[in-house]
Amino acid sequence: EVELVESGGGLVQPGGSLSLSCTASGFTFSTYAMGWVRQAPGKGLEWVSVITSGGVTRYADSVKGRFTISRDNAKNTLYLQMNSLKPEDTAVYRCAKSTRRTTASVKLDDYDYWGQGTQVTVSS
């Protein structure tokens, strides 16, 4: 059974930083691309970032230069380092397993398993 469990969310002031983690189990983590998505209050799901099995990364324009995705295959863990946070980054952040391995897909349809999410609130 595939399981994805996020941690690391919280309340941070604008300009601050947070680091999210996602621990995966139930599949061969190292062989799949993994991504982060988010959902702000009253809005739809937004793709944020992806990292392929080979380490190729891709980011949404809204977070490029501020967020960094990474993975530790030995620990079956996905990370998202978020810097220079803005109020508009407030959302529930969820990690997702891609159906792809070497393609850095931005299409939500290319993700088949999702974590429950962790709340990130950026506010003064």
Side-chain angles (χ1 to χ4, degrees), residues 8 21 35 50 95 120:
S21 299
V50 62
C95 66
V120 171

Side-chain angles (χ1 to χ4, degrees), residues 90-108:
T90 295
V92 174
Y93 284 72
R94 303 170 72 183
C95 66
K97 172 189 166 293
S98 177
T99 59
R100 306 294 195 96
R101 299 175 188 264
T102 59
T103 298
S105 177
V106 306
K107 298 190 298 181
L108 296 176

Side-chain angles (χ1 to χ4, degrees), residues 27 29-35 50-54 56 71 78 96-105 110-112:
F27 65 103
F29 177 79
S30 62
T31 65
Y32 286 92
M34 295 292 297
V50 62
I51 183 167
T52 69
S53 60
V56 174
R71 64 193 299 163
L78 178 73
K97 172 189 166 293
S98 177
T99 59
R100 306 294 195 96
R101 299 175 188 264
T102 59
T103 298
S105 177
D110 280 341
Y111 295 84
D112 56 356

Side-chain angles (χ1 to χ4, degrees), residues 3 6 8 16-17 19 27 29-30 32 37 41 48 50 70 72 75-76 79-80 83 87 89 97 103-104 108:
E3 188 172 22
E6 302 93 340
S17 298
S19 181
F27 65 103
F29 177 79
S30 62
Y32 286 92
V37 300
V48 174
V50 62
S70 62
D72 185 335
K75 296 182 178 179
N76 283 3
Y79 303 98
L80 186 68
N83 299 328
D89 294 318
K97 172 189 166 293
T103 298
L108 296 176

